[in-house]
Amino acid sequence: MVSSGFLSDSRQAGEVLSRLAAEDVACLPLLPEPELAPLLDAARGLSYRTARGEVGAGARAVRQDFDICMAPPRPGPLWGLVARVEKFLGKAFAENRPALLDGPLILNDLVVQHYQAGSSGITAHRDHVRYTGLVALILLSGEGGRFFACTERSGEGAREIIWRPGNLLLMRAPGFAGRNDRPFHYLSDVTTERYSIGLRHDTQA
Protein backbone atom coordinates (compact mmCIF):
# COMPACT_ATOMS: atom_id res chain seq x y z
CA MET A 1 0.00 0.00 0.00
CA VAL A 2 1.32 3.47 -0.87
CA SER A 3 2.08 5.43 2.30
CA SER A 4 0.82 8.96 3.03
CA GLY A 5 -0.23 9.58 -0.56
CA PHE A 6 3.33 9.11 -1.84
CA LEU A 7 4.10 7.35 -5.10
CA SER A 8 6.31 4.76 -3.39
CA ASP A 9 5.52 2.68 -0.32
CA SER A 10 7.67 1.88 2.70
CA ARG A 11 8.73 -1.47 1.21
CA GLN A 12 10.10 0.26 -1.89
CA ALA A 13 11.81 2.87 0.28
CA GLY A 14 13.31 0.09 2.37
CA GLU A 15 14.76 -1.54 -0.73
CA VAL A 16 16.42 1.73 -1.68
CA LEU A 17 17.75 2.23 1.86
CA SER A 18 19.23 -1.26 1.87
CA ARG A 19 21.28 -0.35 -1.21
CA LEU A 20 22.76 2.85 0.21
CA ALA A 21 25.63 1.30 2.12
CA ALA A 22 27.09 0.16 -1.21
CA GLU A 23 25.68 2.73 -3.65
CA ASP A 24 25.99 5.95 -1.55
CA VAL A 25 23.05 7.63 -3.33
CA ALA A 26 19.74 6.37 -4.74
CA CYS A 27 16.42 7.82 -5.87
CA LEU A 28 12.73 6.88 -5.86
CA PRO A 29 9.43 8.52 -6.88
CA LEU A 30 7.70 10.37 -4.05
CA LEU A 31 5.35 13.26 -4.81
CA PRO A 32 2.49 13.07 -7.31
CA GLU A 33 2.38 16.02 -9.70
CA PRO A 34 -0.62 17.77 -8.05
CA GLU A 35 1.38 18.09 -4.81
CA LEU A 36 4.28 19.89 -6.44
CA ALA A 37 2.51 23.17 -7.29
CA PRO A 38 1.64 24.28 -3.71
CA LEU A 39 5.05 23.23 -2.43
CA LEU A 40 6.74 25.11 -5.25
CA ASP A 41 4.64 28.19 -4.45
CA ALA A 42 5.78 27.95 -0.84
CA ALA A 43 9.41 27.68 -1.92
CA ARG A 44 9.14 30.65 -4.27
CA GLY A 45 7.69 32.78 -1.46
CA LEU A 46 10.72 32.36 0.81
CA SER A 47 13.51 34.86 1.44
CA TYR A 48 16.85 33.76 0.00
CA ARG A 49 20.46 34.82 0.24
CA THR A 50 23.11 34.24 -2.39
CA ALA A 51 25.47 31.44 -1.40
CA ARG A 52 29.19 32.23 -1.26
CA GLY A 53 30.77 31.70 -4.66
CA GLU A 54 33.59 29.62 -3.21
CA VAL A 55 33.94 27.77 0.09
CA GLY A 56 37.28 26.43 1.28
CA ALA A 57 40.62 26.88 -0.42
CA GLY A 58 43.08 25.10 -2.64
CA ALA A 59 42.28 21.54 -3.59
CA ARG A 60 39.35 21.54 -1.14
CA ALA A 61 37.63 24.58 -2.63
CA VAL A 62 33.96 24.11 -3.53
CA ARG A 63 32.43 26.45 -6.12
CA GLN A 64 28.71 27.07 -5.87
CA ASP A 65 26.12 29.12 -7.73
CA PHE A 66 22.69 29.18 -6.09
CA ASP A 67 20.46 31.01 -3.62
CA ILE A 68 19.57 29.42 -0.30
CA CYS A 69 16.98 29.70 2.46
CA MET A 70 18.14 28.04 5.67
CA ALA A 71 15.18 28.94 7.89
CA PRO A 72 11.81 28.36 6.20
CA PRO A 73 9.03 29.48 8.56
CA ARG A 74 7.25 26.87 10.60
CA PRO A 75 4.59 25.73 10.66
CA GLY A 76 4.21 25.71 6.90
CA PRO A 77 3.71 23.37 3.95
CA LEU A 78 7.40 22.56 3.62
CA TRP A 79 7.75 21.58 7.27
CA GLY A 80 4.54 19.61 6.88
CA LEU A 81 6.24 17.64 4.12
CA VAL A 82 9.25 17.06 6.39
CA ALA A 83 7.00 15.46 9.00
CA ARG A 84 5.41 13.19 6.39
CA VAL A 85 8.76 12.14 4.94
CA GLU A 86 10.21 11.49 8.40
CA LYS A 87 7.28 9.19 9.23
CA PHE A 88 7.46 7.48 5.84
CA LEU A 89 11.19 6.80 6.03
CA GLY A 90 10.96 5.90 9.71
CA LYS A 91 8.57 3.10 8.79
CA ALA A 92 10.94 1.92 6.07
CA PHE A 93 13.86 1.88 8.52
CA ALA A 94 11.76 -0.03 11.08
CA GLU A 95 11.04 -2.75 8.53
CA ASN A 96 14.72 -3.19 7.57
CA ARG A 97 16.81 -5.92 9.21
CA PRO A 98 19.52 -5.60 10.32
CA ALA A 99 18.90 -2.06 11.56
CA LEU A 100 20.58 0.62 9.46
CA LEU A 101 20.52 3.33 12.15
CA ASP A 102 21.29 3.13 15.87
CA GLY A 103 18.16 5.10 16.75
CA PRO A 104 15.08 6.67 15.18
CA LEU A 105 15.34 8.86 12.10
CA ILE A 106 15.03 12.54 13.05
CA LEU A 107 14.85 15.18 10.31
CA ASN A 108 15.28 18.48 12.15
CA ASP A 109 16.98 20.57 9.47
CA LEU A 110 15.35 21.99 6.34
CA VAL A 111 16.99 24.09 3.64
CA VAL A 112 15.69 25.20 0.25
CA GLN A 113 17.97 25.88 -2.72
CA HIS A 114 17.13 27.87 -5.83
CA TYR A 115 19.22 27.59 -9.00
CA GLN A 116 18.72 30.03 -11.86
CA ALA A 117 18.75 28.71 -15.42
CA GLY A 118 22.38 28.71 -16.55
CA SER A 119 23.75 28.26 -13.02
CA SER A 120 27.07 26.43 -12.80
CA GLY A 121 25.63 24.37 -9.94
CA ILE A 122 28.01 23.14 -7.25
CA THR A 123 31.28 21.26 -7.59
CA ALA A 124 32.07 17.97 -5.87
CA HIS A 125 31.72 18.19 -2.11
CA ARG A 126 30.59 16.29 0.96
CA ASP A 127 27.86 17.30 3.40
CA HIS A 128 29.08 18.64 6.75
CA VAL A 129 30.01 16.01 9.33
CA ARG A 130 27.36 17.48 11.68
CA TYR A 131 24.66 15.89 9.48
CA THR A 132 24.25 12.22 10.38
CA GLY A 133 22.25 9.14 9.43
CA LEU A 134 20.54 10.08 6.21
CA VAL A 135 20.21 13.02 3.83
CA ALA A 136 16.90 13.31 1.93
CA LEU A 137 16.60 15.68 -1.02
CA ILE A 138 13.40 16.42 -2.93
CA LEU A 139 13.36 18.13 -6.31
CA LEU A 140 10.35 20.44 -6.69
CA SER A 141 11.10 21.79 -10.16
CA GLY A 142 13.77 21.82 -12.84
CA GLU A 143 14.21 19.08 -15.41
CA GLY A 144 17.50 20.67 -16.46
CA GLY A 145 20.40 19.74 -14.19
CA ARG A 146 22.55 16.64 -13.67
CA PHE A 147 23.31 15.17 -10.23
CA PHE A 148 26.35 12.94 -9.76
CA ALA A 149 27.80 10.86 -6.95
CA CYS A 150 31.57 10.38 -7.15
CA THR A 151 34.39 8.76 -5.22
CA GLU A 152 36.77 11.74 -5.04
CA ARG A 153 36.61 15.52 -4.79
CA SER A 154 38.14 15.62 -8.26
CA GLY A 155 34.95 14.02 -9.62
CA GLU A 156 36.63 10.68 -10.25
CA GLY A 157 34.26 7.73 -10.45
CA ALA A 158 31.25 9.94 -11.22
CA ARG A 159 27.90 8.18 -11.49
CA GLU A 160 24.83 10.12 -12.62
CA ILE A 161 21.69 9.78 -10.52
CA ILE A 162 18.52 10.46 -12.48
CA TRP A 163 16.62 12.94 -10.28
CA ARG A 164 13.35 14.37 -11.54
CA PRO A 165 10.76 16.72 -10.00
CA GLY A 166 8.82 14.88 -7.33
CA ASN A 167 11.61 12.35 -6.73
CA LEU A 168 13.19 11.69 -3.35
CA LEU A 169 16.97 11.37 -3.49
CA LEU A 170 18.51 9.56 -0.52
CA MET A 171 22.17 9.75 0.47
CA ARG A 172 23.76 8.09 3.43
CA ALA A 173 25.51 10.11 6.12
CA PRO A 174 27.80 9.14 9.03
CA GLY A 175 26.16 6.52 11.21
CA PHE A 176 24.29 4.80 8.38
CA ALA A 177 24.89 1.03 8.41
CA GLY A 178 27.84 1.55 10.75
CA ARG A 179 29.75 3.66 8.24
CA ASN A 180 31.31 7.06 8.88
CA ASP A 181 32.41 8.19 5.42
CA ARG A 182 30.48 10.83 3.46
CA PRO A 183 29.76 10.51 -0.27
CA PHE A 184 31.07 13.17 -2.65
CA HIS A 185 28.43 14.59 -4.99
CA TYR A 186 27.88 17.51 -7.36
CA LEU A 187 25.32 19.21 -9.59
CA SER A 188 26.04 20.55 -13.08
CA ASP A 189 24.42 21.56 -16.39
CA VAL A 190 21.54 23.54 -14.87
CA THR A 191 19.53 24.63 -17.91
CA THR A 192 16.18 25.47 -16.26
CA GLU A 193 15.18 27.18 -13.04
CA ARG A 194 15.41 24.67 -10.23
CA TYR A 195 14.09 24.42 -6.64
CA SER A 196 15.08 21.63 -4.28
CA ILE A 197 14.70 21.01 -0.57
CA GLY A 198 17.11 19.21 1.74
CA LEU A 199 16.10 17.32 4.89
CA ARG A 200 18.79 16.31 7.36
CA HIS A 201 19.51 15.41 10.97
CA ASP A 202 21.65 18.20 12.38
CA THR A 203 23.45 17.04 15.52
CA GLN A 204 24.18 20.68 16.48
CA ALA A 205 20.61 21.96 16.10
Side-chain angles (χ1 to χ4, degrees):
M1 179 181 297
V2 174
S3 173
S4 302
F6 293 149
L7 296 175
S8 298
D9 59 26
S10 59
R11 178 190 58 80
Q12 292 166 314
E15 290 173 354
V16 171
L17 290 172
S18 68
R19 302 202 315 259
L20 283 187
E23 294 186 9
D24 298 341
V25 182
C27 203
L28 75 160
L30 187 75
L31 296 173
E33 189 171 346
E35 283 205 45
L36 291 177
L39 293 168
L40 186 55
D41 286 344
R44 285 174 171 152
L46 298 174
S47 296
Y48 293 84
R49 65 171 176 82
T50 301
R52 291 170 55 189
E54 186 169 301
V55 178
R60 292 181 174 270
V62 176
R63 296 180 299 280
Q64 49 190 21
D65 181 14
F66 56 83
D67 301 320
I68 188 167
C69 175
M70 301 188 69
R74 66 159 84 193
L78 296 177
W79 278 107
L81 178 61
V82 174
R84 291 173 62 202
V85 171
E86 182 182 86
K87 182 177 180 180
F88 169 66
L89 291 175
K91 187 173 188 296
F93 273 113
E95 294 170 355
N96 253 302
R97 293 291 182 273
L100 295 170
L101 295 179
D102 289 337
L105 175 69
I106 299 173
L107 299 174
N108 61 357
D109 184 87
L110 169 64
V111 299
V112 184
Q113 289 176 293
H114 172 225
Y115 294 82
Q116 298 280 1
S119 163
S120 57
I122 183 169
T123 58
H125 65 287
R126 296 180 294 184
D127 275 23
H128 198 283
V129 69
R130 68 194 284 180
Y131 300 121
T132 62
L134 184 73
V135 173
L137 307 176
I138 301 172
L139 187 60
L140 297 181
S141 72
E143 289 285 356
R146 302 177 68 191
F147 187 97
F148 294 86
C150 52
T151 56
E152 303 292 340
R153 193 180 299 275
S154 64
E156 183 179 344
R159 175 174 66 94
E160 184 169 7
I161 310 298
I162 303 303
W163 187 24
R164 296 189 172 94
N167 284 4
L168 173 66
L169 186 148
L170 299 175
M171 180 166 57
R172 60 180 176 77
F176 186 95
R179 298 184 60 161
N180 288 314
D181 54 324
R182 293 168 287 149
F184 285 100
H185 53 286
Y186 65 93
L187 178 71
S188 65
D189 302 305
V190 179
T191 58
T192 60
E193 187 179 41
R194 183 182 184 93
Y195 283 88
S196 62
I197 63 176
L199 289 60
R200 296 171 174 86
H201 175 59
D202 184 353
T203 57
Q204 298 181 26

